[in-house]
Amino acid sequence: MFQGKILLIEDETKIRRFIQLELEHEGYTVEEEQDGRAGLNKALSKDFDLIILDVMLPSLNGMEVLRRLRQSSQTPVIMLTARDEITDKVMGLDIGADDYMTKPFAIEELLARIRTTLKHRRIDSPPSAAVQIGNLKLDKSRHQVTYDNEELELTKREFDLLEYLMLNKKIVLTRDAILKKVWGYDFAGDTNIVDVYIRYLRGKIDDKYRVKLIHTVRGVGYQLKL
Ligand code: CA
């Protein structure tokens, strides 16, 4: 049974391997990164249910990763700190960590914290009502998109694509992530279809209203922002 998708950012190979095996055994899908910068990029480019983030990391420390992540993402984060990094714990919670674990810890404890964090998350997240950016508004319950209160005609796929962009506004989304989420293809295959549908959406939103919301991030993907 699939329990959720977790990103594990930890530079110590032994700890990383151990946590990964335990998480996979519990039914989680795990992706891993060994340094802060790569971890942040991955956290921003894909859709994770939870992130486990070590504090002491090469290239960008965990605090900085968390700070930058929180500028555009509310994905739950559990931080891993060493025993002598008490102030890091406090700081981490201040800048938006959901929980922390002090090394060394029992794996059962980490698994329990993960379950609790994910459960809170599911209760907190609203049943995806209306989302808005600028004058563009998408109402999931009515399956309606409006711009300046004027209704737009979108196909089912265009609606799904726009919804995904709006729920992740300001975040750079890769073509692969879009393909997987909107089309359900679980492979890094031909992503041209994403470009084609982005073009359709631009025709109905950006071109028509002359305000650019859909931005191309060269070599990466797309981003919805004002
Ligand atoms: Ca470390």
Side-chain angles (χ1 to χ4, degrees):
M1 32 113 239
F2 174 72
Q3 300 286 0
K5 193 164 145 193
I6 296 182
L7 173 62
L8 172 61
I9 310 173
E10 162 68 83
D11 58 323
E12 284 163 78
T13 308
K14 262 172 73 180
I15 298 180
R16 201 177 57 245
R17 287 270 166 267
F18 174 65
I19 296 177
Q20 182 185 9
L21 287 174
E22 291 290 334
L23 290 177
E24 286 176 350
H25 182 74
E26 291 295 314
Y28 297 102
T29 301
V30 183
E31 293 200 24
E32 48 173 283
E33 283 296 342
Q34 312 178 25
D35 83 80
R37 202 167 292 278
L40 176 66
N41 287 340
K42 183 161 278 187
L44 290 175
S45 66
K46 287 191 181 181
D47 207 15
F48 292 98
D49 296 301
L50 184 132
I51 297 167
I52 299 172
L53 176 62
D54 187 31
V55 171
M56 294 296 285
L57 288 170
S59 88
L60 202 64
N61 75 49
M63 288 300 158
E64 193 53 28
V65 172
L66 178 62
R67 201 182 61 75
R68 295 190 194 182
L69 181 73
R70 281 289 174 260
Q71 290 172 0
S72 59
S73 159
Q74 290 307 314
T75 304
V77 172
I78 296 179
M79 303 210 69
L80 305 180
T81 71
R83 200 170 281 287
D84 54 359
E85 295 163 350
I86 301 291
T87 48
D88 285 350
K89 274 185 213 169
V90 180
M91 247 188 82
L93 292 173
D94 273 355
I95 55 178
D98 294 78
D99 208 342
Y100 62 85
M101 294 287 304
T102 305
K103 293 182 192 175
F105 52 81
I107 190 72
E108 292 76 18
E109 176 75 14
L110 177 63
L111 294 173
R113 300 278 181 102
I114 291 173
R115 281 193 296 271
T116 308
T117 306
L118 287 176
K119 202 156 81 190
H120 276 287
R121 184 70 179 172
R122 280 174 195 135
I123 295 164
D124 288 350
S125 53
S128 157
V131 276
Q132 185 162 5
I133 180 166
N135 294 323
L136 180 67
K137 197 168 166 185
L138 180 144
D139 190 328
K140 172 101 173 161
S141 55
R142 294 185 189 171
H143 211 269
Q144 188 186 54
V145 178
T146 55
Y147 199 109
D148 271 341
N149 296 322
E150 183 186 336
E151 188 164 355
L152 304 183
E153 295 284 339
L154 298 187
T155 65
K156 166 90 170 64
R157 193 72 80 184
E158 290 166 353
F159 184 91
D160 292 347
L161 174 59
L162 182 63
E163 184 189 20
Y164 183 53
L165 291 170
M166 289 186 78
L167 288 174
N168 295 283
K169 60 186 174 188
K170 296 185 197 161
I171 298 173
V172 179
L173 301 166
T174 64
R175 287 180 179 79
D176 285 347
I178 294 171
L179 195 64
K180 190 171 171 182
K181 197 76 184 184
V182 179
W183 275 264
Y185 301 159
D186 195 2
F187 63 83
D190 187 3
T191 53
N192 283 343
I193 186 116
V194 175
D195 302 322
V196 170
Y197 273 82
I198 288 283
R199 203 150 61 228
Y200 293 159
L201 273 186
R202 279 183 167 145
K204 294 182 178 183
I205 299 168
D206 288 355
D207 299 349
K208 186 171 173 198
Y209 294 96
R210 296 164 191 276
V211 177
K212 196 171 163 173
L213 294 174
I214 303 168
H215 298 258
T216 303
V217 181
R218 217 163 281 282
V220 186
Y222 297 100
Q223 182 183 28
L224 192 73
K225 64 175 183 185
L226 267 176

